[in-house]
């Protein structure tokens, strides 16, 4: 069933056309990823679907009775509620129904109402209707559902009872997402729901949305999230909409094929037009003039293929001026953090969005304990962990902006550090883009403008003050300054924040060819998978070191979990057998285990063949899925071999 039908939608802001001719349907259980460069109109389209905006042309038809829930990028929170009460308020109507039901129960027992059959029947119908609504809402599970969503979104239990207005902007967005999920609308419209979520919350949200019974239209720059959640992709670009089947990875391949086919068809038509025009020029006044006029008529009627647009892409390279020594960083009993820290006070009226001095409650400080390690030249480390765990604090300690609480972090010979701060506080907000670049280099004005062109700044854009730039534009200026340093040790704090999907892919490709050493913080798991050769996991105030990228770590966790579950099952079987005084009914023979081993070995061989086939088509999502299955089945096979040896002996 179609929940929403969008027909020939068009929207402009003043003289600027955002898009036109946009048409698509949203079916029940659809999972649609809405992608496109920053500024293309993705948020505008979501607001048109909610009727917050009216289209200049076309229509949005929503099926009668369909409930639409919308998560904007900026959330609003009631200033007087706790976090728990803010989410519990979603069910305020259930309490109203219960109160009305109590009133009706007393009325139905009133002899005066019994004397009026019409009024009595009306009250009885309303009573039955309220009972059905309350039963559907399941009021006895409301508290558990609210706690489950808050826990899943990464809120500590002590935060549940804290004033919601004290939450950071990212936490308020998570709270708004929780409210929306609890409302269980038929259609979820989510604008960047993955912003401000750490890895645990991201994985929880992916599972929640995968099991969601309604439809979802989501804008996100998180490719891993899009691959796991979406099954259709709509690209808003070039003032039009393009629809593709499949998730983000599938869309990337199909889009490349589509653009190549478009370019080929355009070039073929241009060649045909040039050939026809040459014929007309040659024969329009000779014996073949009639044929030339016929060709001119057909040429005039020819439906021209539009020239394929050129994607505006970042074009730069991270170069190393001098090579560092073999050891880039050594830690010795290092503890990073603060002796005490301040819980920021909530903004006063009129202060929203205005920078203010720190103020608030002093609480125990942050401590990050780092094992004694050496970072070697060429290492690529991803630093992962929950929000607020101290990742930025550790990076600032490594680059020398903060003094360690204990121990030391020592840079090696000839190490030159390039630091990218996620807050972009290395940029002067009062400076123009052009001046900011010239102060960081010896470039002339012409050279600086040409250099900025590689970062998509052209024309008068270079004269904008830093304070007037969007988050994505500030990120590009910060990257431009970083490029000029020629550092051999890059320390990057959330470098993909504010970058759209094409820019993230370009940054990955550039860093993949970087000759120096890299340590970075990112919640973009696609980015982590593409670059990391090691992971530093920051949990409970301590760093643990892991080889490989995010997907390999996730597969090892799944393997360990499967092993623990199998061990627990064997223990239960042994306990049951011992309690009954005879062999447990779940005990198995060596022959049965051998049969399972043979079946599993066949499956592993099949997976290897499927991985080879997926590699031939560059199906990254399928390769990842098969790789995870292979790790799980391999772990299961190892356990079966252990079990077989026990039974055989």
């Amino acid at each position: 069933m179609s929940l929403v039908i969008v027909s020939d939608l068009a929207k402009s802001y003043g003289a600027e056309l955002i898009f036109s001719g946009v048409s698509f349907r949203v079916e029940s259980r659809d999972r649609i990823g809405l992608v496109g460069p920053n500024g293309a109109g993705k948020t505008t389209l979501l607001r048109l679907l909610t009727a917050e905006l009216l289209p200049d042309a076309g229509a949005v038809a929503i099926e009668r009775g369909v409930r639409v829930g919308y998560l904007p990028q900026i959330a609003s929170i009631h200033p007087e509620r706790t976090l728990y009460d803010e989410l519990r308020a979603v069910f305020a109507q259930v309490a109203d129904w219960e109160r009305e039901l109590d009133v009706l129960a007393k009325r139905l027992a009133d002899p005066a109402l019994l004397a009026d059959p019409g009024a009595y029947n009306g009250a009885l119908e309303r009573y039955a209707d309220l009972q059905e609504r309350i039963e559907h809402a399941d009021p006895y599970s409301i508290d558990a559902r609210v706690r489950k969503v808050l826990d899943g979104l990464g809120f500590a239990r002590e935060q549940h009872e804290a004033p919601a207005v004290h939450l950071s902007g990212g936490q308020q967005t998570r709270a708004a997402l929780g409210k929306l999920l609890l409302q269980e609308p038929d259609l979820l419209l989510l604008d960047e729901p993955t912003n401000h979520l750490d890895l645990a919350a991201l994985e929880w949200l992916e599972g929640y949305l995968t099991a969601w019974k309604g439809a979802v239209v989501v804008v996100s720059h998180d490719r891993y999230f899009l691959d796991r959640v979406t099954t259709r992709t709509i690209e808003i670009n070039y003032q039009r909409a393009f629809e593709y089947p499949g998730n983000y990875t599938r869309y990337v391949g199909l889009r490349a094929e589509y653009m190549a086919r478009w370019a080929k068809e355009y070039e073929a038509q241009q060649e045909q037009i040039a050939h026809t025009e040459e014929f007309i020029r040659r024969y329009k006044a000779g014996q073949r003039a009639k044929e030339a006029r016929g060709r001119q008529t057909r040429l005039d009627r020819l439906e021209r293929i539009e020239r394929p647009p050129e994607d505006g892409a970042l074009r730069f390279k991270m170069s190393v001026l001098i090579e560092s020594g073999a050891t880039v960083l050594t830690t010795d009993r290092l503890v990073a953090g603060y002796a005490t820290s301040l819980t920021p006070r909530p903004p006063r009226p009129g202060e929203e969005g205005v920078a203010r001095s720190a103020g608030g409650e002093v609480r125990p400080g942050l401590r990050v304990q780092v094992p004694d390690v050496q970072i070697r030249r060429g290492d690529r480390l991803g630093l992962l962990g929950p929000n607020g765990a101290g990742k930025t604090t550790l990076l600032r300690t490594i680059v020398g902006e903060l003094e360690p609480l204990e121990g030391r972090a020592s840079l090696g010979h000839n190490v030159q550090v390039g630091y990218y701060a996620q807050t972009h506080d290395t940029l002067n907000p009062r400076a123009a883009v052009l001046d900011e670049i010239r102060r960081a280099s010896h470039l002339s004005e012409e050279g600086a403008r040409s250099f900025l062109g590689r970062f998509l700044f052209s024309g008068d854009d270079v004269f904008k003050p830093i304070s007037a730039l969007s988050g994505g534009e500030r990120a590009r200026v910060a990257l431009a300054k970083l490029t000029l340093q020629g550092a051999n040790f890059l320390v990057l704090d959330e470098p993909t924040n504010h970058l759209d999907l094409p820019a993230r892919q370009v940054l990955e490709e550039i860093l993949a060819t970087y000759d120096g050493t890299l340590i970075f913080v990112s919640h973009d798991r696609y980015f982590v998978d593409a670059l990391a050769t090691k992971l530093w996991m920051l949990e409970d105030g301590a760093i643990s070191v892991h080889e490989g990228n995010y997907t390999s770590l996730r597969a090892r966790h799944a393997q360990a979990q499967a092993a623990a579950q199998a061990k627990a099952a064997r223990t239960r079987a042994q306990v049951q057998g011992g309690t009954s005084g005879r062999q447990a009914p779940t005990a198995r023979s060596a022959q049965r285990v051998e049969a399972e081993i043979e079946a599993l070995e066949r499956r592993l061989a099949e997976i290897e063949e499927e991985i080879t086939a997926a590699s031939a088509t560059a199906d990254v999502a399928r390769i990842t899925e098969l790789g995870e299955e292979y790790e799980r089945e391999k772990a299961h096979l190892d356990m079966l071999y252990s079990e077989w040896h026990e039974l055989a002996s």
Side-chain angles (χ1 to χ4, degrees):
M1 180 184 78
S2 294
L3 304 182
V4 180
I5 300 175
V6 176
S7 306
D8 290 323
L9 211 59
K11 184 64 182 176
S12 299
Y13 290 118
E16 182 183 2
L17 175 66
I18 305 302
F19 49 68
S20 64
V22 173
S23 298
F24 61 91
R25 291 173 179 251
V26 181
E27 308 292 339
S28 57
R29 296 305 301 267
D30 253 345
R31 300 288 187 272
I32 299 175
L34 196 56
V35 302
N38 290 338
K42 301 184 294 295
T43 296
T44 296
L45 180 56
L46 290 185
R47 295 179 65 196
L48 287 165
L49 294 178
T50 65
E52 276 190 20
L53 291 177
L54 295 177
D56 298 329
V60 176
I62 300 177
E63 180 71 20
R64 184 185 300 275
V66 168
R67 296 170 301 146
V68 178
Y70 174 47
L71 177 75
Q73 290 190 32
I74 301 175
S76 60
I77 294 293
H78 194 285
E80 297 177 1
R81 292 180 182 147
T82 66
L83 174 60
Y84 174 82
D85 289 339
E86 181 70 15
L87 269 71
R88 188 77 167 68
V90 168
F91 302 100
Q93 193 173 29
V94 178
D96 293 340
W97 291 339
E98 289 177 323
R99 284 190 290 270
E100 186 181 352
L101 196 70
D102 290 339
V103 172
L104 276 174
K106 294 174 183 176
R107 281 192 64 204
L108 288 168
D110 186 350
L113 186 65
L114 288 169
D116 184 348
Y120 181 82
N121 288 335
L124 198 61
E125 287 178 9
R126 177 60 177 166
Y127 188 90
D129 177 56
L130 287 172
Q131 272 191 320
E132 184 179 351
R133 292 184 185 207
I134 292 170
E135 184 178 346
H136 179 73
D138 191 9
Y140 299 106
S141 71
I142 287 175
D143 289 340
R145 283 146 65 191
V146 171
R147 299 291 185 195
K148 178 182 177 183
V149 168
L150 285 172
D151 291 344
L153 288 172
F155 289 105
R157 282 299 171 110
E158 58 268 21
Q159 290 178 302
H160 293 194
E161 308 306 326
V165 74
H166 287 184
L167 299 175
S168 68
Q171 290 171 327
Q172 290 189 12
T173 298
R174 278 191 280 154
L177 174 60
K179 288 175 65 177
L180 193 60
L181 296 177
L182 287 168
Q183 290 169 23
E184 297 187 346
D186 303 297
L187 171 59
L188 275 174
L189 304 176
L190 306 177
D191 196 354
E192 295 288 1
T194 56
N195 282 359
H196 314 294
L197 296 186
D198 56 27
L199 292 178
L202 279 170
E203 291 180 349
W204 177 87
L205 180 60
E206 287 165 356
Y208 199 103
L209 292 179
T210 300
W212 185 262
K213 295 179 181 178
V216 178
V217 179
V218 57
V219 174
S220 178
H221 290 156
D222 189 320
R223 294 157 291 177
Y224 207 100
F225 174 85
L226 290 172
D227 270 352
R228 291 177 64 85
V229 170
T230 63
T231 56
R232 285 171 60 198
T233 303
I234 297 176
E235 177 191 8
I236 305 297
N237 207 351
Y238 319 125
Q239 302 173 338
R240 295 159 59 184
F242 304 84
E243 188 168 348
Y244 300 87
N247 60 15
Y248 178 79
T249 297
R250 181 66 175 146
Y251 145 77
V252 170
L254 291 174
R255 183 185 189 275
E257 293 174 8
Y258 172 74
M259 296 301 289
R261 188 167 59 252
W262 185 356
K264 187 175 181 179
E265 290 171 356
Y266 172 79
E267 290 167 3
Q269 188 183 66
Q270 289 300 304
E271 186 176 336
Q272 176 196 351
I273 290 171
H275 180 75
T276 303
E277 287 176 340
E278 175 61 26
F279 181 91
I280 293 168
R281 280 194 299 272
R282 180 175 298 180
Y283 297 112
K284 64 181 179 180
Q287 292 180 346
R288 304 179 69 179
K290 183 176 181 180
E291 183 181 353
R293 287 194 298 274
R295 292 198 182 192
Q296 182 66 63
T297 300
R298 290 193 295 274
L299 188 61
D300 293 341
R301 294 174 178 171
L302 179 66
E303 184 176 348
R304 304 296 176 103
I305 297 173
E306 183 182 350
R307 179 192 293 272
E310 294 183 5
D311 290 326
L314 296 170
R315 304 183 312 278
F316 66 99
K317 184 178 181 181
M318 291 288 186
S319 300
V320 171
L321 292 180
I322 60 171
E323 187 176 73
S324 72
T327 300
V328 173
L329 179 76
T330 303
T331 61
D332 179 16
R333 294 165 294 168
L334 175 64
V335 178
Y338 302 91
T340 58
S341 60
L342 288 174
T343 301
R345 63 170 174 80
R348 299 188 179 109
E351 276 190 339
E352 290 81 359
V354 178
R356 59 182 189 275
S357 60
E361 173 191 358
V362 177
R363 56 184 175 83
L366 178 73
R367 290 175 64 87
V368 177
Q369 189 164 347
V370 182
D372 292 349
V373 294
Q374 284 188 341
I375 296 179
R376 308 288 290 176
R377 183 177 61 234
D379 279 348
R380 295 165 178 272
L381 278 78
L383 175 56
L384 308 182
N387 289 334
K391 301 184 296 295
T392 295
T393 299
L394 177 55
L395 292 191
R396 293 183 64 200
T397 304
I398 287 173
V399 302
E401 284 192 0
L402 290 176
E403 289 292 326
L405 287 178
E406 300 173 17
R408 61 193 179 92
S410 305
L411 296 175
H413 178 64
N414 274 346
V415 172
Q416 297 179 338
V417 177
Y419 178 48
Y420 179 99
Q422 66 166 305
T423 55
H424 304 140
D425 50 15
T426 59
L427 303 179
N428 180 358
R430 294 182 295 275
V433 173
L434 183 65
D435 295 336
E436 185 75 3
I437 292 303
R438 292 195 67 188
R439 268 195 291 270
S441 67
H442 300 292
L443 294 172
S444 65
E445 179 174 333
E446 182 180 354
R449 293 189 68 151
S450 176
F451 175 74
L452 282 167
R454 303 179 199 171
F455 295 85
L456 308 183
F457 291 99
S458 59
D460 292 340
D461 289 345
V462 301
F463 300 116
K464 287 182 180 178
I466 300 295
S467 59
L469 300 181
S470 68
E473 289 170 329
R474 284 196 298 272
R476 299 203 307 269
V477 176
L479 285 173
K481 286 187 67 176
L482 191 66
T483 301
L484 291 167
Q485 295 178 28
N488 53 35
F489 181 30
L490 293 182
V491 180
L492 310 179
D493 193 357
E494 296 284 5
T496 60
N497 276 6
H498 308 294
L499 295 182
D500 57 24
L501 292 174
R504 291 183 183 209
Q505 185 171 343
V506 170
L507 181 59
E508 277 171 18
E509 294 168 356
I510 289 165
L511 291 176
T513 61
Y514 173 63
D515 292 332
T517 306
L518 188 63
I519 180 170
F520 62 92
V521 170
S522 180
H523 289 152
D524 186 331
R525 293 158 293 173
Y526 215 101
F527 186 82
V528 175
D529 269 358
L531 295 176
T533 56
K534 288 183 181 178
L535 296 179
W536 281 9
M537 297 297 299
L538 174 51
E539 295 175 304
D540 300 323
I543 293 286
S544 57
V545 181
H546 304 268
E547 296 293 329
N549 60 14
Y550 171 79
T551 295
S552 61
L553 176 65
R554 194 164 172 266
R556 287 196 296 273
H557 281 175
Q559 178 179 341
Q561 189 175 31
Q565 290 172 347
K567 183 177 180 181
R570 288 199 299 272
T571 301
R572 285 195 301 270
Q574 291 168 359
V575 169
Q576 290 169 0
T579 302
S580 63
R582 51 187 169 80
Q583 187 182 26
T586 54
R588 307 190 303 167
S589 68
Q591 290 82 0
R592 181 176 175 183
V593 174
E594 282 179 10
E596 289 188 22
I597 288 173
E598 290 177 3
L600 202 51
E601 287 178 336
R602 286 195 298 271
R603 177 56 191 150
L604 287 170
E606 290 172 0
I607 294 173
E608 289 175 352
E609 293 177 359
E610 291 176 26
I611 290 176
T612 301
S615 300
T617 59
D619 189 342
V620 177
R622 182 61 176 155
I623 293 170
T624 302
E625 178 186 344
L626 290 168
E628 292 175 359
E629 183 184 355
Y630 188 91
E631 293 290 343
R632 289 194 303 270
E633 300 292 25
K634 185 68 168 60
H636 189 192
L637 182 63
D638 292 341
M639 288 186 293
L640 288 176
Y641 274 124
S642 298
E643 185 179 359
W644 182 85
H645 283 299
E646 290 176 10
L647 292 169
S649 60

